[in-house]
Amino acid sequence: MKPRLSFLLFIPILLLSCTQQLEPEKELDPSLMLWYDKPAESWTEALPVGNGRLGAMVFGGTANETIQFNEETLWTGQPHDYSHEGASEVLNKMRQLLWAGKQVEAQELGNERFMSQPLGQLSYQPFGDILLSFPGHESATNYKRELDLEDAIATVSYDVDDVKFKREIFSSCPDQSLVIRLKSSKTNALNFSLGMNSPHDVFDVIVDGDQLILKGKANNYPEDKVRAGGGYPPSLLNFEARIKVVNEGGGLVEEEDKIRITNANAVTLYLVAATSFVNYNDISADPAERCERYLHHLHGKSYEQVKADHVADYHKLFNRVNIDLPQSEISKRPTNERLATFKEDEDPSLVALLYQYGRYLLISSSRPGTQPANLQGIWNYQLSPSWDSKYTININTEMNYWPAEITNLPELTEPLIEMVKDLSLTGQEVAKEHYDMDGWVAHHNTDIWRGAAPINNANHGIWPSGGAWLSQHLWWHYQFNGDKEFLKETVYPILKEASRFFAEYLVSDPMHPDWLVSGPSNSPENGGLVMGPTMDHQIIMELFANTIEAAEVLGDDDELIADLKAKRARIAPNQIGRYGQLQEWLQDVDDPENEHRHVSHLWGLHPGSEIHPLTTPELAEACKVVLAHRGDGGTGWSRAWKINFWARLLDGDHSFLILKNLMVPSINPETGRDEGGLYTNLFDAHPPFQIDGNFGATSGITEMLLQSHLRDENGAFYQDILPALPGALANGKISGIKGRGGFEFEIAWENGKLTSVKVTSLLGNHLNLRYDGKLISQETSKGGSYTFNSDQFSK
Ligand code: FUC
């Protein structure tokens, strides 16, 4: 197509550039700002923005800027039932083989007859790239690239000759669009071209007036990753993205698949994007119609208004928690430099930054009405991402949501709750086909199509406790927020049906006929298919307890509840083995040399509440032995889990030691190898990037400062203040974090000691406030605030 001049101002007087105001630079708060003095060279240097649905990674190039973007519903595949007809026929045979010590045969049988169809699940996909090219900007100076967590805005600024250029990028939730604002310090100085690209095989880029349109169809699941047996459903999702260009001054030139912006004073680009996904069962939406609707909504709104609405919306969530840890001169360096020396300088304000970054990432990847945050949140540039960037539910997805309640973002759990509701339906089919049982069950992974059957390989895929673990997040949501209607309508039916499955599934152990055990199962990803892994029993114990308590609150006295009480009393107990370790399995076969990343049998310590130094000191000691065997390293999420474990063991310094092991540059500067830690954009590295470690770290830091999972004999929660304060964080203040029973806290400490704590009672429950072994116990009124200093705590 011949370039067409749609609107160009040639009036020379306007081209005589005048100075125009750029927004003044914000003062740097090192605990709320990531910043760098050069553009990103790799994806894990780029800066993430997101509105829960629409995510982008900003590289910040000068002559060429790439903004890679995602929409959370773009996946391979289509609605699909993964259950394996007739699988239940081999259930008992697998149990018999395992009891006879024939693990290999049991796994073979499982692999032949019991697995999901197909054997794997589908994968999350990248959407496209926004490409901006600025001729002449190769020699930029005074460069800065930053991500401001206070307002959720990424900024790129630099000078070319005597002109300053500035770009602001954010993903707006109220306006469901990715917004890019470009401005220069002189009028008529913005000259660039705008293009789009997509990694998918089938796509087209079209110019339509002031809009650039990208349309395409999702690739099929990558052939080289298809597991034995094939049968991966072809991809049916269509996608469309549109960028609307709003230029102030200057003009637009339509080129073949690009729009050229000439001599503008300021330009705003609004990207909207959608797919045909409606829900796991329905893909009938029209992405073009959705894009039009988003653009229509934006119509007539000024950039200033869109930005103000974005900031106000984000502040409502982000500003609930404030953490204040000391900062110094070293805190002012670029983020990559701060990270490189953290192990030596232990700069508390970098801890604060990582803490708030976890909250920022959750706000940016999980909003009511969206999909839950997957293994990479919503950020992914690969057609074949690690583990399909799906949902691994034997630790990873749950870890994503650990910070939600405690850091005062309860509404962000809504996508997880919705996913569990879906799984309780697809999981019913799996309970029927694979176990011939009632209720619902989900195994160790799921995807956007809500697969619940065991995938990959019997040796780790046959693990029936994924749904049981996930459903406890609903119960915890109730514990924090106390909404009885929600308990009745949503939580209880899900818990009850999950419990119904396990009541039927648990089986008497031939060696200890009084014990009920789980199996065939595995201790996540360690040791292969077995009967009776400890983690399952801990999860089922708490699932039954929660279901029973919910029934009591709601006055449901179904026969099932009596059955759960009887069976709960018979679930195989935690056992301490020959090294003094908490046993991972029924038999005392733990290997002290095994540094496996999963520490599944400590589930009862965290996130569960069965084990604690005060209530079960021997078991707590046995957990320490396990952690000593496993070591202080591990994958990103494994390190993050250990921060939480040590905090629950009330050892703040050990907890901090693991935090330090997590806060190291993932790329070894000497060897260039990717070894786990943090990338320069502070994304956590498994490696590769996996977001769970970010969320697990934020949770672990909170657990150092507040824990609320123990209860008195009347069921009221203890609010344990500074239970595991590390020496390295001896001074600080935090406000807005929450405890179970509906309490919000403002805690200040100096030289390692509490100075004051303010408690706001949101529900009017009984308050058990505990610090340093001393208790304040009193009634509260709803909405009341109570302030104490450390002298007011008595034995
Ligand atoms: C589990 C872990 C792996 C990885 C994957 C996504 O399988 O064992 O380490 O985190 O999930």
Side-chain angles (χ1 to χ4, degrees), residues 276-400:
S276 44
F277 180 90
V278 179
N279 61 45
Y280 75 94
N281 240 340
D282 179 356
I283 53 168
S284 64
D286 175 0
E289 188 270 329
R290 283 181 163 177
C291 285
E292 269 163 32
R293 198 150 36 84
Y294 294 134
L295 285 179
H296 182 76
H297 173 81
L298 276 160
H299 190 74
K301 251 181 128 170
S302 69
Y303 169 73
E304 284 69 27
Q305 192 57 50
V306 171
K307 181 177 170 183
D309 289 352
H310 158 71
V311 170
D313 167 76
Y314 173 77
H315 279 181
K316 260 196 296 186
L317 297 164
F318 187 76
N319 288 357
R320 289 177 193 163
V321 170
N322 190 51
I323 184 165
D324 193 357
L325 297 175
Q327 35 186 265
S328 59
E329 276 308 302
I330 60 162
S331 321
K332 295 184 182 151
R333 291 171 300 152
T335 308
N336 49 318
E337 292 176 26
R338 298 178 73 187
L339 179 63
T341 61
F342 180 74
K343 208 152 193 154
E344 295 84 58
D345 58 48
E346 298 181 358
D347 177 10
S349 93
L350 191 64
V351 175
L353 181 67
L354 186 72
Y355 183 82
Q356 290 291 31
Y357 194 46
R359 298 185 66 246
Y360 166 82
L361 291 172
L362 194 62
I363 297 170
S364 305
S365 62
S366 184
R367 292 290 196 109
T370 70
Q371 296 297 310
N374 65 44
L375 285 173
Q376 299 187 176
I378 46 172
W379 299 278
N380 167 38
Y381 68 101
Q382 292 167 308
L383 290 166
S384 186
S386 298
W387 294 286
D388 306 310
S389 192
K390 55 186 184 299
Y391 300 95
T392 308
I393 55 176
N394 65 12
I395 172 70
N396 317 86
T397 303
E398 289 90 347
M399 185 178 280
N400 286 359

Side-chain angles (χ1 to χ4, degrees), residues 375 386-396 444-445 456 460 524-525 596-598 635 637-638 686-687 690 692:
L375 285 173
S386 298
W387 294 286
D388 306 310
S389 192
K390 55 186 184 299
Y391 300 95
T392 308
I393 55 176
N394 65 12
I395 172 70
N396 317 86
H444 96 296
N445 255 279
N456 298 355
H460 66 278
E525 309 191 27
H596 199 277
R597 60 196 180 282
H598 286 264
T635 56
W637 60 259
S638 178
H686 181 288
Q690 217 172 270
D692 39 20

